[in-house]
Amino acid sequence: MDISFLGGPAPQRGVGVVAPFDFALDRELWRWVPDEVSLHMTRTPFVPVEVSLDLARLVSEHETLGEAVRTLNAIAPEVVAYACTSGSFVGGVLGERAMCEAMTWAGAVPSVTTSGALLDALAELGVRRLALVTPYTVSVTRALEAYIAEAGVTVTGCAFMGLTRHIWKVPYRDVAEMARRAVPGEGAADALFISCTNLPTYDVIPQLEAELRIPVISANQVTMWAALRRLGTRAVGPYQALTDPSARIGPAVPGPAGPAAVADMPGVTDGPDTEQQQEGWT
C-alpha cells in the first residue's frame, strides 16, 4: 500500500532536559508536554552518593552541567531545563542564576532550572506564603527553606520524609498525607510546593487543590511549565492551577491539617525503605 500521501512526521520543537543520574520519572515529565514538543533527556554522571547536600552540589557543578548541555547541542533544542530541585537551590538565588548562565553559554539557548522555575511560578500565582512538602532529610529541607526565604517568600509549614534514596517509589497516598501535614490551617498558606523532581506528583495535584483550596505546584510541573513558556506554548495539566488559570480557586477551607492535628497523626510507615525515613513537621 502506498503511504506516501502521509508525508513526514509533524515538525517538533525540542526541549533539552538535564537530569541527575538517578532521575526515574521521564514519563511524568512527558505528561505536561503538548504533542508538538519533544523532550530530549540526558543525565549527569553517576556518583556513589545518596540524596544529600553533597549530592546536590556534585550534580550541579558548572562543568558537569556544561558537558550535559553539550551532549544535547546536536539535537538543537530551543530551550534547556535542569530538572533537579536540590541541585538548583543548593547555591542560593545567585547560584541558581549562575547555573542558568553556565547552561546558556554551553548550549547557546535559553535555560531554566527547577528552583528558578519555582520562583517564577510563585510570582505568576502571587504567592507570598508557601507550605512545603519534601522527601528530603532535614538538612536538605532547611536549605530549600533558606532559598525560598532569600527570594522573599515566607514558609508557613513544612513536612519532610527523610529519604536518601528510592524517592521515585513513594506512592501518591504518602505525598497526599504529607501535604495535609504541611498546610497548617485556613488561610495560612497561599500555595503548597511539593519538592524534588524524583517525587511523583502529576495525578495528585488536582486532588490536593480541590481538598486544600489553594494552588498546589510540584517540581516537575514548574520545570515543564517554565521551559514550555520559553517556547511560547503552554504545559498540558488539566485542573492544575499553574497550567490552567480556570482551575485557580478561592482561599483555603478548614480541614484536618494543622499543628494540633499533626501531633495526632501517625507517621508514614508503608512507603519505600522505611528504615531510611525520619519524618518531620516544622
Side-chain angles (χ1 to χ4, degrees), residues 73-100:
N73 285 348
I75 308 169
E78 295 181 50
V79 63
V80 172
Y82 177 60
C84 179
T85 322
S86 60
S88 52
F89 68 62
V90 69
V93 172
L94 292 179
E96 188 278 331
R97 292 174 184 167
M99 290 176 63
C100 286

Side-chain angles (χ1 to χ4, degrees), residues 35-58:
D35 289 343
E36 70 273 13
V37 176
S38 287
L39 298 183
H40 308 300
M41 305 285 298
T42 190
R43 283 168 169 76
T44 62
F46 170 79
V47 289
V49 179
E50 292 186 324
V51 178
S52 61
L53 290 175
D54 288 338
L55 179 61
R57 296 184 183 101
L58 287 170

Side-chain angles (χ1 to χ4, degrees), residues 162-166 269 271-278:
L163 297 178
T164 59
R165 58 191 177 101
H166 295 173
T269 58
D273 301 303
T274 54
E275 74 278 6
Q276 293 290 322
Q277 300 189 33
Q278 182 180 358

